[in-house]
Amino acid sequence: MPVGSRVFGRATFYDAIKPEVANTYSPDDALFLSIRTRHDGPWDESERKGYAKVKSILDDQAISGRYLFSQDRTVKDPFIVKADGTELACYRRIVDHDAFTMIHFHGNGEAVSDYVPFMADVFADMDLNSLFVEYRDYGGSSGEAKLVAMLGDGDAAMNAAGVSPENAIVFGRSIGSLYAIELAHRQPSIAGLIIESGIANPAERFLAHAELESVGFDEDAVDREVKRHFNHKEKLSRYTHPLLTLHTENDGLIDISHAERNHKWAGSRQKRLVRFPRGNHNTIFGANEKEYLDAVRSFASSVQR
Protein backbone atom coordinates (compact mmCIF):
# COMPACT_ATOMS: atom_id res chain seq x y z
CA MET A 1 0.00 0.00 0.00
CA PRO A 2 1.51 3.40 -0.91
CA VAL A 3 2.64 5.39 2.11
CA GLY A 4 0.38 8.32 1.34
CA SER A 5 -2.75 6.19 1.40
CA ARG A 6 -2.40 4.93 4.98
CA VAL A 7 -5.25 6.35 6.99
CA PHE A 8 -5.68 3.83 9.81
CA GLY A 9 -4.32 4.17 13.31
CA ARG A 10 -0.92 3.05 14.54
CA ALA A 11 -2.20 0.14 16.61
CA THR A 12 -4.31 -1.06 13.71
CA PHE A 13 -1.34 -0.76 11.38
CA TYR A 14 0.93 -2.75 13.65
CA ASP A 15 -1.67 -5.47 14.26
CA ALA A 16 -2.60 -5.77 10.59
CA ILE A 17 0.79 -5.51 8.92
CA LYS A 18 2.90 -7.08 11.70
CA PRO A 19 6.29 -6.05 10.26
CA GLU A 20 8.86 -8.83 10.29
CA VAL A 21 11.46 -7.45 12.68
CA ALA A 22 14.13 -8.87 14.89
CA ASN A 23 13.51 -6.17 17.50
CA THR A 24 10.22 -5.22 19.11
CA TYR A 25 8.92 -1.86 17.98
CA SER A 26 6.03 0.15 19.36
CA PRO A 27 3.25 1.03 16.89
CA ASP A 28 4.60 4.61 16.71
CA ASP A 29 8.16 3.47 16.03
CA ALA A 30 7.10 0.85 13.49
CA LEU A 31 5.00 3.34 11.56
CA PHE A 32 7.79 5.90 11.67
CA LEU A 33 10.28 3.45 10.17
CA SER A 34 7.79 2.24 7.56
CA ILE A 35 7.13 5.80 6.39
CA ARG A 36 10.80 6.74 6.39
CA THR A 37 11.96 3.61 4.53
CA ARG A 38 8.83 3.12 2.40
CA HIS A 39 8.42 -0.52 3.40
CA ASP A 40 7.08 -2.47 6.35
CA GLY A 41 10.20 -4.32 7.47
CA PRO A 42 12.40 -6.02 8.19
CA TRP A 43 14.70 -3.00 8.48
CA ASP A 44 18.41 -3.57 8.05
CA GLU A 45 21.13 -1.83 10.02
CA SER A 46 21.65 0.93 7.46
CA GLU A 47 17.97 1.85 7.58
CA ARG A 48 18.00 1.94 11.36
CA LYS A 49 21.28 3.85 11.54
CA GLY A 50 20.88 6.98 13.60
CA TYR A 51 17.42 5.86 14.63
CA ALA A 52 16.35 6.65 18.16
CA LYS A 53 12.98 6.14 19.76
CA VAL A 54 10.73 8.91 18.49
CA LYS A 55 7.29 10.16 19.38
CA SER A 56 6.44 11.43 15.90
CA ILE A 57 7.88 11.85 12.43
CA LEU A 58 7.73 15.58 13.23
CA ASP A 59 10.71 14.97 15.54
CA ASP A 60 12.85 13.76 12.65
CA GLN A 61 15.70 16.05 11.63
CA ALA A 62 14.04 16.50 8.25
CA ILE A 63 11.34 18.52 10.01
CA SER A 64 12.42 19.55 13.53
CA GLY A 65 16.00 20.02 12.38
CA ARG A 66 14.91 22.30 9.56
CA TYR A 67 12.46 24.35 11.61
CA LEU A 68 13.96 24.77 15.08
CA PHE A 69 16.98 27.05 15.34
CA SER A 70 18.80 26.47 18.63
CA GLN A 71 20.47 29.47 20.25
CA ASP A 72 23.47 29.30 22.57
CA ARG A 73 22.87 32.44 24.65
CA THR A 74 22.62 31.53 28.33
CA VAL A 75 21.33 33.04 31.56
CA LYS A 76 23.23 33.31 34.84
CA ASP A 77 21.98 31.10 37.65
CA PRO A 78 19.35 29.24 35.58
CA PHE A 79 16.42 27.46 37.17
CA ILE A 80 17.12 23.87 36.14
CA VAL A 81 14.16 21.70 35.22
CA LYS A 82 14.51 17.98 34.58
CA ALA A 83 12.30 16.77 31.76
CA ASP A 84 12.39 13.32 30.18
CA GLY A 85 16.12 12.82 30.75
CA THR A 86 17.09 16.37 29.79
CA GLU A 87 17.87 19.49 31.78
CA LEU A 88 16.19 22.75 30.80
CA ALA A 89 18.03 25.97 31.71
CA CYS A 90 14.98 28.05 32.57
CA TYR A 91 14.77 31.33 34.49
CA ARG A 92 12.61 32.07 37.52
CA ARG A 93 11.84 35.34 39.31
CA ILE A 94 9.77 35.43 42.50
CA VAL A 95 8.42 38.77 43.74
CA ASP A 96 5.77 37.31 46.04
CA HIS A 97 5.18 33.64 46.74
CA ASP A 98 1.43 34.30 46.82
CA ALA A 99 1.38 36.18 43.50
CA PHE A 100 0.37 34.85 40.09
CA THR A 101 3.15 33.55 37.82
CA MET A 102 3.65 34.38 34.14
CA ILE A 103 4.92 31.24 32.36
CA HIS A 104 6.64 32.42 29.18
CA PHE A 105 7.58 30.50 26.00
CA HIS A 106 9.79 32.47 23.60
CA GLY A 107 10.05 32.46 19.81
CA ASN A 108 12.11 30.23 17.56
CA GLY A 109 15.30 32.23 16.94
CA GLU A 110 15.30 33.50 20.51
CA ALA A 111 16.46 32.29 23.92
CA VAL A 112 15.36 32.91 27.49
CA SER A 113 18.39 35.19 27.93
CA ASP A 114 16.83 37.60 25.40
CA TYR A 115 13.99 38.25 27.87
CA VAL A 116 15.80 38.58 31.17
CA PRO A 117 16.10 40.63 33.13
CA PHE A 118 14.02 43.22 31.26
CA MET A 119 10.81 41.23 30.70
CA ALA A 120 11.03 39.71 34.17
CA ASP A 121 11.20 43.30 35.44
CA VAL A 122 8.12 44.18 33.38
CA PHE A 123 6.17 41.28 34.85
CA ALA A 124 7.41 42.18 38.35
CA ASP A 125 6.00 45.69 37.85
CA MET A 126 2.66 43.96 37.20
CA ASP A 127 3.08 42.14 40.55
CA LEU A 128 3.73 38.87 38.72
CA ASN A 129 6.30 36.19 39.37
CA SER A 130 7.83 34.83 36.16
CA LEU A 131 8.99 31.50 34.81
CA PHE A 132 10.73 31.59 31.42
CA VAL A 133 10.83 28.10 29.92
CA GLU A 134 13.89 27.23 27.84
CA TYR A 135 13.70 24.68 25.02
CA ARG A 136 15.92 21.65 24.66
CA ASP A 137 19.30 22.48 23.07
CA TYR A 138 18.56 26.21 23.51
CA GLY A 139 20.52 28.35 25.95
CA GLY A 140 22.16 26.06 28.46
CA SER A 141 19.65 23.23 28.06
CA SER A 142 20.68 19.71 27.16
CA GLY A 143 18.93 17.34 24.77
CA GLU A 144 17.73 17.82 21.20
CA ALA A 145 15.17 20.36 20.09
CA LYS A 146 12.25 18.30 18.78
CA LEU A 147 8.77 19.62 18.11
CA VAL A 148 6.71 16.85 19.68
CA ALA A 149 9.15 15.60 22.31
CA MET A 150 9.11 19.04 23.95
CA LEU A 151 5.32 19.21 24.35
CA GLY A 152 5.46 18.13 27.99
CA ASP A 153 8.33 20.41 29.01
CA GLY A 154 6.04 23.26 30.06
CA ASP A 155 4.24 20.89 32.41
CA ALA A 156 7.59 19.79 33.85
CA ALA A 157 8.72 23.39 34.38
CA MET A 158 5.47 24.41 36.06
CA ASN A 159 5.58 21.40 38.38
CA ALA A 160 9.25 21.96 39.22
CA ALA A 161 8.47 25.57 40.16
CA GLY A 162 5.49 24.49 42.25
CA VAL A 163 3.12 26.78 40.36
CA SER A 164 -0.54 25.87 40.58
CA PRO A 165 -2.50 26.30 37.34
CA GLU A 166 -5.06 28.51 39.07
CA ASN A 167 -2.26 31.01 39.75
CA ALA A 168 -0.62 30.83 36.32
CA ILE A 169 -0.89 32.95 33.20
CA VAL A 170 0.70 31.24 30.19
CA PHE A 171 2.32 33.36 27.46
CA GLY A 172 3.48 31.98 24.10
CA ARG A 173 5.20 34.00 21.39
CA SER A 174 5.51 32.67 17.82
CA ILE A 175 6.54 29.01 18.06
CA GLY A 176 6.10 29.39 21.80
CA SER A 177 2.36 29.50 21.09
CA LEU A 178 2.52 25.74 20.37
CA TYR A 179 3.76 25.04 23.87
CA ALA A 180 1.57 27.64 25.57
CA ILE A 181 -1.55 26.18 23.94
CA GLU A 182 -0.41 22.68 24.88
CA LEU A 183 0.08 23.68 28.51
CA ALA A 184 -3.36 25.30 28.59
CA HIS A 185 -4.74 22.07 27.11
CA ARG A 186 -3.02 19.92 29.73
CA GLN A 187 -3.87 22.33 32.55
CA PRO A 188 -7.37 23.62 31.69
CA SER A 189 -7.69 25.45 35.01
CA ILE A 190 -4.90 27.93 34.24
CA ALA A 191 -5.97 31.48 34.99
CA GLY A 192 -5.18 33.00 31.59
CA LEU A 193 -3.55 32.48 28.18
CA ILE A 194 -1.70 35.02 26.01
CA ILE A 195 -0.81 34.20 22.40
CA GLU A 196 1.51 36.67 20.66
CA SER A 197 2.32 36.30 16.95
CA GLY A 198 1.06 32.75 17.32
CA ILE A 199 0.44 29.88 14.92
CA ALA A 200 -2.98 28.39 14.17
CA ASN A 201 -2.01 25.53 11.85
CA PRO A 202 1.64 24.52 12.34
CA ALA A 203 1.58 22.36 9.19
CA GLU A 204 1.67 25.56 7.15
CA ARG A 205 4.94 26.49 8.85
CA PHE A 206 6.56 23.04 9.06
CA LEU A 207 6.00 22.19 5.39
CA ALA A 208 7.55 25.47 4.31
CA HIS A 209 10.89 24.38 5.80
CA ALA A 210 10.88 20.57 5.77
CA GLU A 211 13.16 18.35 3.67
CA LEU A 212 10.64 15.58 3.04
CA GLU A 213 12.07 13.94 -0.07
CA SER A 214 15.36 13.01 1.58
CA VAL A 215 13.60 10.80 4.16
CA GLY A 216 10.59 9.62 2.20
CA PHE A 217 7.88 11.49 4.12
CA ASP A 218 4.95 12.99 2.26
CA GLU A 219 2.86 16.06 3.04
CA ASP A 220 -0.19 13.99 3.97
CA ALA A 221 1.79 12.14 6.64
CA VAL A 222 3.04 15.43 8.07
CA ASP A 223 -0.45 16.91 8.04
CA ARG A 224 -1.84 13.90 9.90
CA GLU A 225 0.87 14.16 12.55
CA VAL A 226 0.23 17.88 12.99
CA LYS A 227 -3.47 17.18 13.53
CA ARG A 228 -2.53 14.49 16.03
CA HIS A 229 -0.19 16.63 18.14
CA PHE A 230 -0.93 20.27 17.30
CA ASN A 231 -4.68 20.44 16.69
CA HIS A 232 -5.12 23.99 17.95
CA LYS A 233 -8.74 24.17 16.89
CA GLU A 234 -9.61 21.25 19.15
CA LYS A 235 -7.35 22.32 22.02
CA LEU A 236 -8.52 25.93 22.07
CA SER A 237 -12.17 24.97 21.75
CA ARG A 238 -11.83 23.29 25.15
CA TYR A 239 -10.14 26.30 26.73
CA THR A 240 -12.76 28.45 28.50
CA HIS A 241 -10.66 30.82 30.63
CA PRO A 242 -9.52 34.34 29.56
CA LEU A 243 -7.52 34.69 26.35
CA LEU A 244 -5.52 37.60 24.96
CA THR A 245 -4.27 37.40 21.36
CA LEU A 246 -1.68 39.89 20.10
CA HIS A 247 -0.62 40.15 16.45
CA THR A 248 0.60 42.77 14.00
CA GLU A 249 -1.28 43.30 10.76
CA ASN A 250 2.08 43.46 8.97
CA ASP A 251 3.47 40.11 10.13
CA GLY A 252 5.09 38.75 6.97
CA LEU A 253 6.20 35.53 8.66
CA ILE A 254 3.00 34.37 10.39
CA ASP A 255 -0.01 36.02 8.77
CA ILE A 256 -2.57 37.63 11.06
CA SER A 257 -5.11 35.08 9.81
CA HIS A 258 -3.47 32.70 12.31
CA ALA A 259 -4.43 35.04 15.15
CA GLU A 260 -7.96 35.35 13.80
CA ARG A 261 -8.37 31.57 13.70
CA ASN A 262 -6.96 31.02 17.19
CA HIS A 263 -9.22 33.76 18.54
CA LYS A 264 -12.28 32.31 16.82
CA TRP A 265 -11.59 28.72 17.90
CA ALA A 266 -11.14 29.54 21.58
CA GLY A 267 -13.99 28.56 23.86
CA SER A 268 -13.01 31.39 26.20
CA ARG A 269 -15.81 33.31 27.84
CA GLN A 270 -13.53 36.35 27.94
CA LYS A 271 -11.28 36.87 24.93
CA ARG A 272 -9.71 39.81 23.12
CA LEU A 273 -7.79 40.10 19.84
CA VAL A 274 -5.47 43.12 19.60
CA ARG A 275 -4.35 43.99 16.07
CA PHE A 276 -1.31 46.27 15.93
CA PRO A 277 -0.99 48.53 12.86
CA ARG A 278 2.79 48.93 13.22
CA GLY A 279 5.75 46.59 13.23
CA ASN A 280 6.29 43.08 11.91
CA HIS A 281 6.86 39.63 13.39
CA ASN A 282 10.15 40.58 15.03
CA THR A 283 9.43 44.24 15.85
CA ILE A 284 5.91 43.91 17.24
CA PHE A 285 7.02 44.74 20.78
CA GLY A 286 9.36 47.63 19.99
CA ALA A 287 6.98 49.25 17.50
CA ASN A 288 3.98 49.03 19.83
CA GLU A 289 5.56 48.91 23.28
CA LYS A 290 3.06 51.10 25.14
CA GLU A 291 -0.05 49.54 23.57
CA TYR A 292 1.44 46.05 23.88
CA LEU A 293 2.23 46.42 27.59
CA ASP A 294 -1.08 48.16 28.30
CA ALA A 295 -2.91 45.16 26.82
CA VAL A 296 -0.85 42.64 28.82
CA ARG A 297 -1.15 44.68 32.03
CA SER A 298 -4.91 45.06 31.66
CA PHE A 299 -5.30 41.34 30.95
CA ALA A 300 -3.12 40.29 33.88
CA SER A 301 -4.99 42.65 36.20
CA SER A 302 -8.38 41.29 35.14
CA VAL A 303 -7.22 37.69 35.57
CA GLN A 304 -5.89 38.34 39.07
CA ARG A 305 -9.12 39.92 40.33
Side-chain angles (χ1 to χ4, degrees):
M1 182 183 297
V3 170
S5 65
R6 291 193 180 95
V7 294
F8 38 82
R10 282 160 174 68
T12 302
F13 162 80
Y14 196 66
D15 290 340
I17 304 299
K18 296 187 185 302
E20 182 189 344
V21 294
N23 299 318
T24 300
Y25 291 89
S26 71
D28 276 356
D29 297 342
L31 185 57
F32 174 85
L33 281 169
S34 73
I35 291 174
R36 190 172 73 172
T37 60
R38 293 185 178 274
H39 68 90
D40 300 320
W43 299 291
D44 62 32
E45 186 62 32
S46 66
E47 292 173 306
R48 297 195 306 269
K49 186 177 181 181
Y51 169 76
K53 185 175 178 63
V54 295
K55 295 182 179 180
S56 169
I57 62 172
L58 300 179
D59 284 347
D60 191 84
Q61 282 297 301
I63 299 174
S64 284
R66 295 281 299 177
Y67 190 71
L68 295 168
F69 301 101
S70 300
Q71 307 296 311
D72 59 6
R73 298 179 297 282
T74 60
V75 295
K76 294 181 180 179
D77 300 320
F79 176 67
I80 300 297
V81 173
K82 295 184 182 298
D84 195 23
T86 66
E87 291 190 346
L88 310 178
C90 305
Y91 179 86
R92 189 183 186 195
R93 171 86 66 86
I94 299 175
V95 296
D96 183 343
H97 285 283
D98 295 325
F100 279 61
T101 297
M102 185 73 81
I103 302 176
H104 186 277
F105 297 88
H106 62 72
N108 194 357
E110 302 169 351
V112 164
S113 64
D114 298 334
Y115 287 86
V116 296
F118 94 91
M119 190 58 81
D121 292 340
V122 167
F123 293 149
D125 288 341
M126 298 179 189
D127 298 320
L128 293 169
N129 301 322
S130 55
L131 174 60
F132 293 82
V133 182
E134 190 57 283
Y135 305 138
R136 302 182 189 193
D137 199 32
Y138 280 69
S141 299
S142 63
E144 294 181 73
K146 294 181 178 181
L147 290 160
V148 174
M150 299 192 302
L151 279 172
D153 290 357
D155 236 357
M158 190 174 77
N159 291 334
V163 177
S164 65
E166 295 81 6
N167 289 328
I169 301 172
V170 181
F171 189 127
R173 161 171 159 75
S174 190
I175 197 172
S177 64
L178 276 59
Y179 302 103
I181 291 171
E182 176 68 17
L183 185 54
H185 176 64
R186 293 183 180 216
Q187 302 286 348
S189 59
I190 65 162
L193 172 63
I194 302 174
I195 301 174
E196 188 251 280
S197 306
I199 304 169
N201 181 7
E204 297 173 23
R205 302 295 309 144
F206 299 163
L207 289 172
H209 297 270
E211 285 278 349
L212 301 183
E213 292 183 4
S214 64
V215 289
F217 300 158
D218 63 20
E219 293 190 4
D220 288 341
V222 172
D223 190 57
R224 286 196 297 274
E225 282 297 278
V226 168
K227 288 178 180 177
R228 179 182 174 218
H229 295 286
F230 298 103
N231 190 335
H232 289 174
K233 182 176 182 179
E234 178 182 349
K235 292 178 183 179
L236 287 171
S237 69
R238 299 179 181 179
Y239 176 72
T240 59
H241 288 187
L243 169 69
L244 173 64
T245 305
L246 309 171
H247 217 102
T248 174
E249 295 177 343
N250 304 309
D251 192 325
L253 188 62
I254 300 173
D255 188 78
I256 196 170
S257 64
H258 285 265
E260 294 168 341
R261 280 176 278 172
N262 282 332
H263 177 77
K264 179 181 178 181
W265 292 338
S268 305
R269 294 182 292 269
Q270 174 189 333
K271 57 183 177 180
R272 180 188 180 197
L273 169 59
V274 180
R275 308 169 65 107
F276 295 107
R278 298 182 298 277
N280 55 37
H281 187 77
N282 291 318
T283 63
I284 180 174
F285 180 85
N288 305 280
E289 183 173 347
K290 182 181 184 304
E291 297 88 346
Y292 185 112
L293 291 179
D294 283 349
V296 173
R297 184 178 294 105
S298 176
F299 180 78
S301 178
S302 68
V303 167
Q304 295 175 82
R305 283 199 293 267

